[in-house]
């Protein structure tokens, strides 16, 4: 491009570029200098994109200045035309502040130094497959179209603090599939994505993914797609707000995940989907965390604590919290109030559980749940109320697991109470004749878990029989026999069918008391059978 073809502003930018100096064309009035009002900027604040491309691609940066490093540093400038730098090698720093780009920027497959775009307004930027040697900053900038960073490699920080991105229902606001960032990704301080999803599928982050205070809005769709991400630091979403689904299936986080005070909204759908998420540290959905829609933590693995302290989970008529096959060393289920919807803990392994009866869900699923103990175990009758919240029908495992937890704490009596409740629940679903026999076992020996009851029944029957036979003396079978009548031993001969003390064969109850003998013999057989059943159950358990 010839010298005479350049405008005065373009010559100024060319000369400053050679010296690495900033060109500041602001008027000094914040309202006038707002890039949203760039239509009022005249030629004195405008540069053609083709001129910038010539400078960056070696088409005449001006005379070299000894001791100075060329750099493109523009403030308050309007850039007209598409800036096409695909597959280019740009060995310069690019810095734009308060600028307006009327047409798209394309850095597809390009390689450049640090890229800083601050408080600018852009239509679209495509840096897919680009390599940025340093930081890529887009702080407080506004994108009315797609920001595309698919498969880009950034050796420093990717920073979009305060940026506002606007997508469409059929197009994301930020597309960063398989992006590789060797330091942090910062989407903080009011970062906003509206009308399209933030896509980080397969992203590799060497530091933290920090979304503190972010606003992601894509109602009815996906707010954040982060499947198969690898984050070497933490995922931080304190105070973030989402409309749409927050997706983290198959993601891996070496540090922790903290969503303190976050509010996720996707009514009628899934607010948080984290199937197969692996967290090396702790997972905090706490400190005022709210989820309107299902919180799906299926098959999640947490190396530390899974914390839901003071969370609010709402999914009316559906599943508020699903933790199928989830694993954690400690689990805090002390939500702010009882979750509205089902809480599914089936086949989870939750280590030490902290919970509060005041916030127990009305609808639980507990079959297959494993844990080491409760921090507050509660007496067995109270903890059995927790099991009763599982309305899916009888399953033996929840009772067995609770009894095991009590035994681990040395509370054998509480464990037997739980196992007795299990037998009662089991017999309630059996045929009537089995229920009848079960009622006998329950009343006599508590299915073997209340053996002292058998002794009390024996003592009671022994006393009653002795009184009857004392009032109605039995008849001696052999008038010449030497036996002396003993009413207690005679009663025992009827009560203990496997023992013969000789009194039962030597004497016979009177006609009026024969029925008492029959009752005692039948009761003895029933007690003997139920005691044998209880002993067998205890031996098998041991």
């Amino acid at each position: 491009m010839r010298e005479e073809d350049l405008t005065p502003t373009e010559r100024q930018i060319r000369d400053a570029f050679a010296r690495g100096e900033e060109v500041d064309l602001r008027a000094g009035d914040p309202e006038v200098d707002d890039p949203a009002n760039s239509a009022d900027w005249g030629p004195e604040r405008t540069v053609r994109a083709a001129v910038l491309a010539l400078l960056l691609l070696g088409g005449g940066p001006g005379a070299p200045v000894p001791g100075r490093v060329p750099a493109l540093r523009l403030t308050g400038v309007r850039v007209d035309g598409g800036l096409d730098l695909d597959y280019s090698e740009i060995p310069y720093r690019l810095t734009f502040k308060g600028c307006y780009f009327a047409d798209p920027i394309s850095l597809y497959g390009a390689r450049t130094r640090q890229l800083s775009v601050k408080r600018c307004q852009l239509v679209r930027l495509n840096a897919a497959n680009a390599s940025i040697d340093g930081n890529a900053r887009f702080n407080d900038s506004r994108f009315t179209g797609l920001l595309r960073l698919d498969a880009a490699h950034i050796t420093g920080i990717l920073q979009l603090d305060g940026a506002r991105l606007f997508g469409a229902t059929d197009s994301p606001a930020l597309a960063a599939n398989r992006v590789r960032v060797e330091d942090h990704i910062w989407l903080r301080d009011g970062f906003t994505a509206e009308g399209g999803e933030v896509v980080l599928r397969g992203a590799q982050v060497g530091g933290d993914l920090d979304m503190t205070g972010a606003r992601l809005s894509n109602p009815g769709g996906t707010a954040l797609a982060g499947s198969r991400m690898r984050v070497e630091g933490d995922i931080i979403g304190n105070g973030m707000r989402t409309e749409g689904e927050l997706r983290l299936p198959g993601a891996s986080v070496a540090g922790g995940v903290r969503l303190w005070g976050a509010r996720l909204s996707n009514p009628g759908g899934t607010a948080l989907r984290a199937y197969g998420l692996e967290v090396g540290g702790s997972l905090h959905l706490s400190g005022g965390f709210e989820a309107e829609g299902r919180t799906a933590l299926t098959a999640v693995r947490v190396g530390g604590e899974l914390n839901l302290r003071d969370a609010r989970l709402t999914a009316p008529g559906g599943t508020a919290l699903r933790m199928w096959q989830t694993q954690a060393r400690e689990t805090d289920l002390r939500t702010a109030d009882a979750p509205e919807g089902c809480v599914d803990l089936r086949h989870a392994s939750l280590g030490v559980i902290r919970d509060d009866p005041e916030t127990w869900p009305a609808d639980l699923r507990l079959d297959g749940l494993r844990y080491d103990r409760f921090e507050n175990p509660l007496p067995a009758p109270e903890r059995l109320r927790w099991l009763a919240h599982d309305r899916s029908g009888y399953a033996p495992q929840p009772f067995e697991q609770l009894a095991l937890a009590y035994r681990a704490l040395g509370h054998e009596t509480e464990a037997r109470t739980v196992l007795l409740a299990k037998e009662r629940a089991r017999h309630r679903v059996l045929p009537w004749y089995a229920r009848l026999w079960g009622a006998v076992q329950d009343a006599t020996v508590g299915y073997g878990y209340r053996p002292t009851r058998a002794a009390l029944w024996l003592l009671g029957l022994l006393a009653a029989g002795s009184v009857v036979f004392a009032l109605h003396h039995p008849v001696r079978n052999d008038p010449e026999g030497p036996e002396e009548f003993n009413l207690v031993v005679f009663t025992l001969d009827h009560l203990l069918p496997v023992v013969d003390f000789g009194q039962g064969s030597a004497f016979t109850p009177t006609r009026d008391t024969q029925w008492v003998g029959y009752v005692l013999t039948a009761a003895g057989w029933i007690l003997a059978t139920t005691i044998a059943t209880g002993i067998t159950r205890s031996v098998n358990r041991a």
Side-chain angles (χ1 to χ4, degrees), residues 465-477 481-494 502-510 513:
S466 298
V467 169
V468 170
F469 295 131
L471 296 175
H472 302 276
H473 206 284
V475 178
R476 183 186 296 274
N477 294 330
E483 297 87 354
E484 291 291 333
F485 176 70
N486 186 307
L487 63 89
V488 174
V489 177
F490 180 78
T491 305
L492 283 174
D493 253 341
H494 287 79
Q503 290 282 307
S505 58
F507 298 91
T508 301
T510 64
T513 59

Side-chain angles (χ1 to χ4, degrees), residues 128-257:
N129 293 292
S131 295
I132 300 174
D133 188 9
N135 299 325
R137 303 181 188 273
F138 302 94
N139 297 346
D140 301 310
S141 292
R142 176 187 175 99
F143 291 80
T144 58
L146 172 66
L147 171 58
R148 187 181 178 199
L149 299 172
D150 293 327
H153 179 202
I154 301 169
T155 63
I157 296 172
L158 172 59
Q159 186 174 10
L160 289 101
D161 291 348
R164 299 188 65 188
L165 282 61
F166 298 88
T169 54
D170 59 346
S171 175
L174 170 62
N177 290 291
R178 304 177 309 284
V179 68
R180 182 182 172 192
V181 180
E182 296 188 14
D183 210 324
H184 308 298
I185 294 181
W186 288 342
L187 312 176
R188 309 172 303 181
D189 303 330
F191 169 85
T192 302
E194 296 184 23
E197 61 187 350
V198 172
V199 182
L200 294 170
R201 295 188 189 94
Q204 298 184 44
V205 186
D208 299 335
L209 171 58
D210 192 342
M211 299 178 286
T212 300
R215 303 290 186 272
L216 312 180
S217 179
N218 189 24
T222 300
L224 172 68
S227 57
R228 303 182 305 282
M229 278 198 308
R230 297 292 180 267
V231 179
E232 297 301 323
D234 300 329
I235 291 181
I236 307 167
N238 302 337
M240 72 181 299
R241 304 289 184 268
T242 65
E243 292 182 87
E245 188 172 312
L246 178 59
R247 297 177 54 87
L248 299 172
S252 175
V253 184
V257 176

Side-chain angles (χ1 to χ4, degrees), residues 35 102 189 198 208 217 312 348 382 399 422 458 502 508 518-519 542:
D189 303 330
V198 172
D208 299 335
S217 179
R312 285 185 167 83
E382 291 187 50
F399 294 93
K422 184 199 78 167
L458 283 171
T508 301
Y518 300 149
V519 169

Side-chain angles (χ1 to χ4, degrees), residues 68-405:
R68 306 299 294 270
V69 178
L72 187 60
R73 302 171 59 199
L74 303 181
T75 301
V77 175
R78 176 188 174 100
V79 180
D80 281 347
L83 184 56
D84 187 354
L85 300 169
D86 290 351
Y87 301 106
S88 58
E89 293 280 344
I90 304 172
Y92 313 115
R93 181 177 59 169
L94 306 180
T95 303
F96 302 96
K97 297 179 183 178
C99 294
Y100 177 80
F101 294 84
D103 297 284
I105 300 173
S106 184
L107 290 164
Y108 185 91
R111 185 179 184 89
T112 185
R113 297 290 182 88
Q114 180 164 301
L115 174 62
S116 179
V117 181
K118 187 174 183 179
R119 296 191 305 276
C120 295
Q121 182 164 327
L122 304 91
V123 174
R124 177 186 175 97
L125 189 149
N126 181 7
N129 293 292
S131 295
I132 300 174
D133 188 9
N135 299 325
R137 303 181 188 273
F138 302 94
N139 297 346
D140 301 310
S141 292
R142 176 187 175 99
F143 291 80
T144 58
L146 172 66
L147 171 58
R148 187 181 178 199
L149 299 172
D150 293 327
H153 179 202
I154 301 169
T155 63
I157 296 172
L158 172 59
Q159 186 174 10
L160 289 101
D161 291 348
R164 299 188 65 188
L165 282 61
F166 298 88
T169 54
D170 59 346
S171 175
L174 170 62
N177 290 291
R178 304 177 309 284
V179 68
R180 182 182 172 192
V181 180
E182 296 188 14
D183 210 324
H184 308 298
I185 294 181
W186 288 342
L187 312 176
R188 309 172 303 181
D189 303 330
F191 169 85
T192 302
E194 296 184 23
E197 61 187 350
V198 172
V199 182
L200 294 170
R201 295 188 189 94
Q204 298 184 44
V205 186
D208 299 335
L209 171 58
D210 192 342
M211 299 178 286
T212 300
R215 303 290 186 272
L216 312 180
S217 179
N218 189 24
T222 300
L224 172 68
S227 57
R228 303 182 305 282
M229 278 198 308
R230 297 292 180 267
V231 179
E232 297 301 323
D234 300 329
I235 291 181
I236 307 167
N238 302 337
M240 72 181 299
R241 304 289 184 268
T242 65
E243 292 182 87
E245 188 172 312
L246 178 59
R247 297 177 54 87
L248 299 172
S252 175
V253 184
V257 176
R258 301 194 300 275
L259 299 181
W260 294 327
R263 295 183 182 178
L264 314 183
S265 177
N266 193 24
T270 300
L272 172 60
R273 186 186 303 275
Y275 180 87
L277 171 67
E278 294 191 7
V279 182
S282 296
L283 171 57
H284 286 269
L285 308 179
S286 55
F289 172 88
E290 295 182 12
E292 185 179 6
R294 182 186 303 110
T295 298
L297 303 179
T298 306
V300 170
R301 295 184 179 182
V302 181
E305 181 184 24
L306 198 169
N307 193 317
L308 289 147
R309 182 74 181 269
D310 295 328
R312 285 185 167 83
L313 309 175
T314 306
T319 300
L321 176 63
R322 181 178 174 87
M323 291 172 56
W324 180 288
Q325 295 183 336
T326 289
Q327 299 177 25
R329 296 179 64 180
E330 301 179 37
T331 306
D332 196 330
L333 298 173
R334 294 174 292 181
T335 51
D337 43 33
E340 189 173 349
C342 176
V343 173
D344 189 346
L345 304 179
R346 287 178 292 176
H347 304 290
S349 180
L350 302 183
V352 178
I353 294 180
R354 301 179 180 90
D355 65 352
D356 184 349
E358 295 297 322
T359 61
W360 282 347
D363 190 3
L364 269 170
R365 297 292 182 270
L366 298 172
D367 190 23
L369 171 65
R370 298 181 302 279
Y371 45 88
D372 297 327
R373 63 183 180 89
F374 291 95
E375 188 173 75
N376 181 19
L378 300 176
E382 291 187 50
R383 186 56 67 180
L384 285 169
R385 290 195 301 108
W386 179 68
L387 294 188
H389 286 220
D390 187 338
R391 308 183 192 282
S392 60
Y394 169 73
Q397 189 276 339
F399 294 93
E400 295 284 350
Q401 174 61 54
L402 181 56
L404 183 65

Side-chain angles (χ1 to χ4, degrees), residues 16-83:
F17 172 77
R19 297 188 296 272
E21 295 178 349
E22 179 183 8
V23 175
D24 188 346
L25 301 181
R26 291 176 295 180
D29 184 334
E31 184 175 352
V32 173
D33 290 330
D34 188 339
N37 300 320
S38 62
D40 298 330
W41 297 356
E44 72 283 359
R45 297 187 62 173
T46 303
V47 62
R48 289 170 291 173
V51 174
L52 299 183
L54 277 174
L55 293 175
L56 295 173
L57 300 179
V65 178
R68 306 299 294 270
V69 178
L72 187 60
R73 302 171 59 199
L74 303 181
T75 301
V77 175
R78 176 188 174 100
V79 180
D80 281 347
L83 184 56

